[in-house]
Amino acid sequence: MKVNTVLLTALAPVSWGSTYAVTTELLPPDRPLFTAAMRALPAGLVLLALARRLPAGDWWWRSAVLGALNIGAFFPLLFLAAYRLPGGLAAVVGSVGPLFVAGLAVPLLGQLPTRRTLVTGLAAALGVSLVVLRAAGALDALGVAAAVASTASMSTGTVLTKKWGRPAGAGPLALTAWQLTAGGLLIAPLALLVEGAPPALDGRALTGYAYLALANTAVAYWLWFRGIGRLSATQVTFLGPLSPLSAAVIGWAALDQSLTPVQLAGMALALGATVLGQRPAKTPPIAVPAVPATSAVSPSPAGHARR
């Protein structure tokens, strides 16, 4: 196991766990599409300027597809789920990402899931549910559909990113820039159409959006796609449950939210599943496109992503 790569990649979902606290404490309420656009497009343009490289050939449409799956569809769907579902249920749906990836890896990568992958994936989802799930009334059908769709979108994007690799000479910085820019360009007009003109932003909001765009998105997604290039798709997606766990810890440390013994047990279970998910499969992986060795919003553990 490439420990350093795993630890660096893990910083991405850990960072995403801070999204709820930043959203509730610093950003204007009830503007999920505007927030999604402010996360994706500025980050993509900054990385594009740093990478100084545009897609070529098939990578124009591949970047558009990956940008739509990993960013353009994922961000709005996840925000929609977080706003409509109670008690972190969207995080529970998101935690089954390893099982989605295991299923998609069969037709797209030709890899059959192992029994350990399936059991560990179920354990991770159970651990996350113990941390974030609260008693709730009737579930919102649109919220549930959005949560499932967001998980399916990101899982498909993760597997396709692994399948397609990167074009020769393009590093993870360029690949991240292309996807964030493409996703942001999809979200921005939708935000204007659905939510209207951007809200007035004070210093707190500008600070929050700067953090989301740079650290939470530009750096975090660069680490994420870098990890996809060096680890298996299953190993990467097993790091996803760290996001709601990080959100729970931040809520406890910064927002005075309590952690019960059941939640602590859930954290231990989810962390254990994450570690086991990093162990390489016993069967050799199939060949994937060569990748040069170079690199969510996490829903609230305590409620909706709003003030």
Side-chain angles (χ1 to χ4, degrees):
M1 180 173 65
K2 304 174 182 179
V3 177
N4 290 338
T5 300
V6 170
L7 293 177
L8 284 174
T9 308
L11 291 177
V14 169
S15 169
W16 297 333
S18 67
T19 305
Y20 169 70
V22 172
T23 300
T24 57
E25 298 302 310
L26 300 178
L27 304 185
D30 302 320
R31 301 301 294 262
L33 291 175
F34 177 74
T35 297
M38 288 293 286
R39 284 188 70 191
L41 190 54
L45 293 176
V46 167
L47 294 185
L48 199 59
L50 293 174
R52 303 174 63 121
R53 182 185 176 98
L54 293 175
D58 288 346
W59 275 97
W60 281 105
W61 68 263
R62 287 184 177 182
S63 297
V65 170
L66 294 177
L69 290 170
N70 289 322
I71 309 296
F74 176 69
F75 277 11
L77 287 169
L78 189 55
F79 270 118
L80 177 62
Y83 271 86
R84 299 184 70 97
L85 292 180
L89 183 59
V92 176
V93 177
S95 69
V96 301
L99 300 179
F100 273 72
V101 167
L104 290 167
V106 177
L108 296 179
L109 300 180
Q111 295 176 344
L112 294 175
T114 65
R115 182 179 303 175
R116 189 189 72 203
T117 296
L118 298 177
V119 172
T120 307
L122 290 172
L126 175 60
V128 170
S129 69
L130 292 176
V131 175
V132 302
L133 198 56
R134 302 288 189 276
L139 296 180
D140 181 274
L142 179 58
V144 173
V148 173
S150 69
T151 303
S153 179
M154 185 66 166
S155 299
T156 305
T158 298
V159 176
L160 284 178
T161 301
K162 185 65 181 177
K163 178 180 177 65
W164 289 337
R166 295 194 302 268
L173 189 68
L175 182 64
T176 307
W178 301 342
Q179 294 188 52
L180 286 171
T181 303
L185 289 174
L186 287 174
I187 300 170
L190 181 61
L192 287 174
L193 180 64
V194 174
E195 297 177 351
L201 303 178
D202 57 16
R204 289 169 59 86
L206 290 173
T207 300
Y209 283 125
Y211 167 78
L212 288 182
L214 298 177
N216 186 270
T217 303
V219 175
Y221 270 89
W222 171 71
L223 290 172
W224 187 252
F225 293 127
R226 174 183 180 274
I228 291 176
R230 299 184 177 191
L231 303 170
S232 72
T234 301
Q235 284 178 298
V236 173
T237 197
F238 262 111
L239 297 173
L242 293 177
S243 179
L245 299 186
S246 170
V249 172
I250 292 172
W252 167 76
L255 303 179
D256 295 324
Q257 297 172 353
S258 60
L259 288 174
T260 67
V262 171
Q263 287 178 296
L264 294 174
M267 284 185 175
L269 179 60
L271 286 172
T274 298
V275 172
L276 287 176
Q278 302 312 307
R279 295 177 58 189
K282 294 181 179 179
T283 55
I286 67 166
V288 295
V291 180
T294 57
S295 132
V297 182
S298 173
S300 160
H304 301 304
R306 59 178 63 167
R307 287 189 184 274

